[in-house]
Amino acid sequence: MKKVLIFILLSVFSVSLMAQPTRRRTTTSNEAAQRDPRKSVQASDRFSLSFPTSGAMPEDVAWRRDVYRELDLTKDKNAPLYYPVTPIGNQCNLFTYLFRLLISGRVNAYQYNVVTSVESFEEKDKINLKDFLEDNNIRKQTRDGKFVVEDADIPSGMVKRYRIKESSYLDQRTGTTHTKVTAICPILIEGDGDFGSDEFGDDAEDYSTAKALFWMKYEDVAPYLSKLPVMASDLNNVTNMTAEDYFTLNHYDGKIFMTNNMQGKSIQQYCKTDSAVAKEQKRIENQLVDFEEHLWGHVEKNDSVDSLQVAAVKPEKKAAKVASTVRKESRTRRTNSKSEKAETASAAPRSSARRQRR
């Protein structure tokens, strides 16, 4: 009996020792969260679970092409990102939403490199929030050690363009191609110049008023964009789409201004004329389309007739074709009828009547 009691005591003591490190780790993590409240907010955030987004791009893809596009919000296809300029109830435009995420500390923003325009998501490239607000003359208040900016002071109406990084890639696991936005950058247009006419035109004076604010990693903001409704049509005013759907389904329309290349040059740097720039943009677009269409080879179906092609035939040509077909069928029937008669006559037995002699 004593041995049994000793064995039970040893078992209880060993279980308590095994549970002790877990308790220490829990206490340590709680103390770290108290030292840094921002980490506490991020740790308790469940947006990525409550609002799932499209899958991330695998790191070991077999093929990938990165392009940079510039979205003009004055175009109809990009207008859902700009309106409403002033928040109405729960609705706001994209920049107001991104700015709120930045102020609350839920999402990080990174410096925009004016020389290369290429994004960098390293720790050293994170923007300082106070310096960012002061450099852009955004009025702020301080409450409980945090910055607060009223909606009227957010320059959402001046952000009329976005730059995005778009990655087209081949997923060898499924054998399918995808196009995914991986980074986003709002561009603030200072002044009242007509910046929406042409990106590569003669509006150099208006173009100089553009200021790229920061880069954001799309994976960081995607769970929140799943909760931002946007209006996708003028005919249907129901907000039946989210901003994450808008980017995932590639509803935006933007010109390519740069690709990831070995020389690190934008299209405007190695194409000296407007026509050369337009030709290069079209060439890159065709490369992306051709790769997807000819990935597994192009198969022509000659055994079927396209109904659209048949409908596009002119009525007189169609009538002539039908008449010709009818004539051919009539000749074939007559020929077959003569052949059948000849075969019947040749196959019938001959009967001869002999004269009887008297």
Side-chain angles (χ1 to χ4, degrees), residues 316-335:
E316 52 271 15
K317 290 185 178 181
K318 187 175 182 180
K321 187 176 181 180
V322 171
S324 176
T325 304
V326 171
R327 287 195 297 269
K328 289 180 180 179
E329 292 178 354
S330 179
R331 286 197 300 268
T332 303
R333 285 197 296 269
R334 288 198 299 269
T335 303

Side-chain angles (χ1 to χ4, degrees), residues 25 87 110 118 150 179 195 207 217 222 239 255 264 331 350:
R25 284 194 296 267
Y110 300 84
V118 178
E150 301 295 335
T179 300
F195 187 68
Y207 186 77
K217 189 184 296 185
T239 54
K255 294 181 179 179
R331 286 197 300 268
R350 294 182 179 180

Side-chain angles (χ1 to χ4, degrees), residues 81-82 84-89 91-104 129 132-133 136-141 147-160 162 186-189 213-214 216:
L81 304 180
Y82 186 70
V85 179
T86 303
I88 303 175
Q91 296 183 0
C92 62
N93 66 4
L94 178 60
F95 182 73
T96 300
Y97 199 71
L98 295 179
F99 189 86
R100 290 174 178 174
L101 294 175
L102 178 62
I103 288 292
S104 63
L129 187 56
F132 170 76
L133 297 176
N136 292 279
N137 300 320
I138 300 175
R139 290 190 296 180
K140 63 183 184 302
Q141 299 176 4
F147 293 120
V148 177
V149 178
E150 301 295 335
D151 289 340
D153 297 325
I154 300 176
S156 58
M158 299 174 64
V159 177
K160 298 180 180 180
Y162 282 92
I187 298 179
L188 188 143
I189 310 299
L213 297 179
F214 49 75
M216 277 187 173

Side-chain angles (χ1 to χ4, degrees), residues 49-152:
L49 298 178
S50 302
F51 302 94
T53 60
S54 59
M57 179 178 61
E59 296 182 357
D60 57 343
V61 294
W63 180 90
R64 190 182 80 184
R65 184 75 184 274
D66 297 331
V67 300
Y68 293 83
R69 298 182 183 271
E70 187 156 304
L71 312 184
D72 184 0
L73 301 191
T74 61
K75 294 183 177 181
D76 291 340
K77 293 191 69 173
N78 302 326
L81 304 180
Y82 186 70
Y83 296 100
V85 179
T86 303
I88 303 175
N90 295 328
Q91 296 183 0
C92 62
N93 66 4
L94 178 60
F95 182 73
T96 300
Y97 199 71
L98 295 179
F99 189 86
R100 290 174 178 174
L101 294 175
L102 178 62
I103 288 292
S104 63
R106 296 182 180 182
V107 176
N108 294 319
Y110 300 84
Q111 297 285 348
Y112 184 91
N113 191 324
V114 295
V115 178
T116 64
S117 300
V118 178
E119 77 288 350
S120 176
F121 297 130
E122 297 183 7
E123 187 72 21
K124 62 181 181 61
D125 294 314
K126 287 184 180 180
I127 65 171
N128 183 283
L129 187 56
K130 181 180 179 181
D131 295 341
F132 170 76
L133 297 176
E134 293 177 352
D135 293 342
N136 292 279
N137 300 320
I138 300 175
R139 290 190 296 180
K140 63 183 184 302
Q141 299 176 4
T142 303
R143 296 176 186 172
D144 300 330
K146 297 181 179 180
F147 293 120
V148 177
V149 178
E150 301 295 335
D151 289 340

